[in-house]
Amino acid sequence: MKLTRPRLGRVVIAAAACAALLAGCADAGAGDDVGTASSSEVSQTRGFLGEQGEPGEPVQGGTVTFASYAPVATLDPALTPPTGPTGGTEMAAVYDVLVQYDDESESFVPRLAESLEESDDHMTWTLTLRDGVTFSDGTPLNADAVVSSIKRFNDGAGLYSELYLEMVESTTAKDPSTVVFTLTRPWRDFPAILAYGHGMIVAPSSDKGGKFTPIGAGPFTVARLQPQQTLELTARPDYWGGKPNLDGLKFVAISGDQAKIDSLKTGGVDMIYLRGADTVNAAKAQFPGFIETASMSLVGLINVREGRPGADPRVRQAMAYAIDPEVINQRGYDGQNMAGTDMFEPWSKWHGDASGIEPDPAKAKELLDQAKADGYDGRLTYVGINSPERTKVALAIQAQLNAVGFDVTLDYASSVTDMVMRVNVDRDFDLALGAYEVTDVAPEIRLFNSLAGKSDPITGANDPEMNQLISDMLSAPDEAAKQAAIDGIQKAVNEQQPFMTWSAGQTYIAWADDVFGVDPSVDQIMLLDKAFIGK
């Protein structure tokens, strides 16, 4: 397999953890409102929406201001999760990416790379870099820089580094322009991981002096960063793809989706990132933009560690059968979410023959009674955030569990940071609201991060059958085999209930009518080197 690039011009660590938790990128979401309507009403799962006039010739100059989802605390890709909602767009602007997702071909194509070729035995990928690409400090982006940046990312436990180390045996600079990736087993979608943090190449000089400096080969350089508030970037005249149309980019913090919509209406910002069910729906009717639908945007995280109620599979199954996602949807989200127990709902490319369980309170009570007969007292602690929306969700969950015989205590964290400590760090919970946010593009990356490995860092789950199914999905020779593995994962989840699926959701990146040239990649990472403000 060979990837070729289409024509150019187509249309602090705790802070990072908090952002990842909210967006679901690190598998412990706080369960944000997720849009939009029911699964049966989804007409477009990914792509551009809205009417805009003809863009005309690109206009030079100006600054696009983007109210992002989670303003960055640092531009170190090993510390800030490199996904769309948590800094991926910002970091791609500074570092660029080796590979990007291309919607027209529905495949991953080279960007900083000139080509990426797979060997006949499917065990080796050879990446050839573009000639003449330099970092913003003037040093060349060569194979040694790629290898050292990837090693730095893995050593820093960057997002998806566990998957990379599982699947890639070695990363070698064959010559100044060639990097060879030798795999441990075939992975036909290997290029996908190079569209995330592994493909955001940090210059060797970034770590000099013991203080990280964001130096990359991207179209913009950093002018000013106020952590979690404002990031200002300036266009590079010597960018390999040609000087960007814009003079600069500005990323700002605006709290709340409605406030973002109001600011876009009045011209205070030019682009906004939305996740709220009601505001996604409202914005789609008002502004052009880019929509993406994700599976498992709302899940119930179960602590399965020894000594916790969830260590007993009967207790996990009882919870799953007791909770009807539509009740959560109606009571917590006014019926606007895409409720369902399928990991991949009917709108998804990966919806197969296996479906999620059907809520069954009688069966839940039977399973719970069995566990109680062996000494379980029925008590559970649910951890959530103390906000009006999350309280409604918590009460809906508590009522359904108590109705079958559980005794649920609601324990509210005062902030997202406190929630991160309770769930991600201390693991002091029995049940918590979360998000996995698995998109149809390369779903194996998120699924591995959520379900595989030696032990899930949040829930403690570690099942050999699940690990094998994840491995089968990664090494599937074709889409039919990949679908069969995903169906197997759904069946295993039904039996084991390491988590509970409650809803899918949509995100919407909206922009003003005069903004053109936004180029979406994977996971809502927006590439903005060709963006411009029209006349």
Side-chain angles (χ1 to χ4, degrees):
M1 179 186 296
K2 181 175 181 178
L3 303 181
T4 56
R5 176 165 173 80
R7 65 188 185 280
L8 289 172
R10 286 197 42 233
V11 189
V12 171
I13 303 178
C18 292
L21 183 141
L22 278 170
C25 342
D27 313 318
D32 249 17
D33 294 355
V34 285
T36 178
S38 68
S39 295
S40 62
E41 297 174 0
V42 176
S43 59
Q44 184 169 359
T45 60
R46 176 184 166 97
F48 294 102
L49 295 178
E51 296 294 331
Q52 278 185 281
E54 289 297 320
E57 290 298 314
V59 176
Q60 299 295 311
T63 297
V64 162
T65 301
F66 189 175
S68 55
Y69 178 72
V72 296
T74 172
L75 289 167
D76 186 341
L79 300 182
T80 295
T83 68
T86 55
T89 294
E90 294 92 320
M91 290 187 289
V94 174
Y95 305 109
D96 218 331
V97 283
L98 291 172
V99 167
Q100 75 169 94
Y101 184 75
D102 173 60
D103 278 283
E104 186 173 295
S105 63
E106 296 186 342
S107 64
F108 288 90
V109 299
R111 186 171 167 91
L112 278 174
E114 181 69 41
S115 65
L116 183 58
E117 299 183 30
E118 184 182 20
S119 64
D120 291 339
D121 65 359
H122 311 295
M123 293 295 289
T124 303
W125 289 83
T126 301
L127 182 146
T128 302
L129 292 165
R130 294 179 175 276
D131 291 334
V133 178
T134 62
F135 294 107
S136 59
D137 65 355
T139 59
L141 189 153
N142 55 25
D144 285 337
V146 171
V147 172
S148 65
S149 179
I150 290 176
K151 181 179 185 303
R152 177 187 183 279
F153 189 83
N154 288 331
D155 289 347
L159 187 64
Y160 308 137
S161 58
E162 185 178 356
L163 171 59
Y164 189 96
L165 294 170
E166 172 82 13
M167 297 298 293
V168 182
E169 183 176 290
S170 64
T171 307
T172 307
K174 180 180 178 181
D175 59 47
S177 63
T178 308
V179 180
V180 178
F181 303 90
T182 303
L183 306 187
T184 59
R185 55 187 184 274
W187 182 14
R188 70 190 186 100
D189 288 330
F190 164 73
I193 203 165
L194 300 182
Y196 287 99
H198 287 90
M200 297 177 181
I201 306 305
V202 174
S205 60
S206 289
D207 287 317
K208 285 185 178 178
K211 180 182 178 181
F212 178 76
T213 303
I215 301 172
F220 297 89
T221 59
V222 179
R224 185 170 71 103
L225 170 61
Q226 288 182 282
Q228 296 182 279
Q229 296 183 49
T230 304
L231 169 65
E232 296 179 18
L233 304 180
T234 302
R236 277 185 65 186
D238 59 343
Y239 176 56
W240 68 265
K243 182 182 181 300
N245 296 315
L246 297 168
D247 291 332
L249 297 170
K250 185 176 182 180
F251 297 87
V252 298
I254 296 179
S255 180
D257 276 8
Q258 187 56 54
K260 292 178 184 177
I261 289 177
D262 294 341
S263 186
L264 183 56
K265 281 182 180 178
T266 59
V269 297
D270 304 290
M271 294 180 67
I272 56 177
Y273 188 106
L274 303 172
R275 283 175 54 85
D278 55 345
T279 50
V280 165
N281 288 330
K284 288 193 298 183
Q286 299 177 65
F287 311 110
F290 180 80
I291 192 81
E292 184 157 35
T293 313
S295 298
M296 293 166 276
S297 287
L298 201 68
V299 301
L301 299 171
I302 303 173
N303 192 340
V304 304
R305 290 176 176 80
E306 192 67 31
R308 292 284 182 174
D312 187 333
R314 297 170 300 182
V315 174
R316 300 197 299 271
Q317 291 166 351
M319 284 191 272
Y321 282 111
I323 298 174
D324 184 344
E326 187 55 39
V327 174
I328 297 174
N329 184 26
Q330 294 298 328
R331 297 184 186 179
Y333 301 104
D334 297 326
Q336 296 201 59
N337 274 359
M338 305 164 66
T341 62
D342 291 356
M343 291 174 58
F344 295 93
E345 294 289 341
W347 53 264
S348 172
K349 172 184 178 180
W350 302 108
H351 178 76
D353 296 330
S355 299
I357 65 166
E358 291 293 329
D360 187 340
K363 190 166 186 176
K365 188 175 187 308
E366 178 184 348
L367 288 162
L368 180 57
D369 287 345
Q370 292 174 13
K372 285 183 174 180
D374 290 335
Y376 172 49
D377 61 9
R379 294 179 181 175
L380 284 175
T381 299
Y382 171 91
V383 176
I385 295 177
N386 191 10
S387 70
E389 296 83 4
R390 307 289 166 38
T391 299
K392 291 178 183 178
V393 172
L395 291 171
I397 292 169
Q398 181 189 47
Q400 293 183 85
L401 291 173
N402 285 353
V404 300
F406 282 101
D407 180 5
V408 179
T409 298
L410 301 180
D411 193 352
Y412 294 113
S414 60
S415 66
V416 173
T417 303
D418 290 341
M419 180 81 169
V420 170
M421 291 300 298
R422 284 289 303 274
V423 176
N424 293 46
V425 181
D426 298 334
R427 282 93 182 193
D428 183 16
F429 71 100
D430 295 325
L431 175 62
L433 202 63
Y436 286 160
E437 293 288 347
V438 181
T439 66
D440 275 5
V441 178
E444 65 268 29
I445 291 179
R446 283 280 177 92
L447 285 176
F448 179 95
N449 216 47
S450 304
L451 300 175
K454 296 179 181 178
S455 177
D456 184 283
I458 297 167
T459 68
N462 180 21
D463 181 76
E465 178 188 0
M466 186 70 75
N467 291 343
Q468 184 59 56
L469 287 165
I470 295 289
S471 178
D472 293 344
M473 176 182 61
L474 286 162
S475 295
D478 52 42
E479 291 203 351
K482 189 172 179 177
Q483 182 67 69
I486 289 174
D487 285 350
I489 293 169
Q490 175 70 78
K491 292 174 183 177
V493 167
N494 292 348
E495 294 171 1
Q496 301 169 19
Q497 293 300 156
F499 67 94
M500 295 173 280
T501 300
W502 291 334
S503 180
Q506 291 188 316
T507 56
Y508 193 52
I509 295 90
W511 48 76
D513 288 337
D514 60 354
V515 172
F516 298 93
V518 177
D519 190 5
S521 184
V522 68
D523 210 342
Q524 303 117 47
I525 294 174
M526 301 288 118
L527 304 175
L528 300 172
D529 57 302
K530 298 300 177 184
F532 66 94
I533 301 173
K535 293 182 179 178

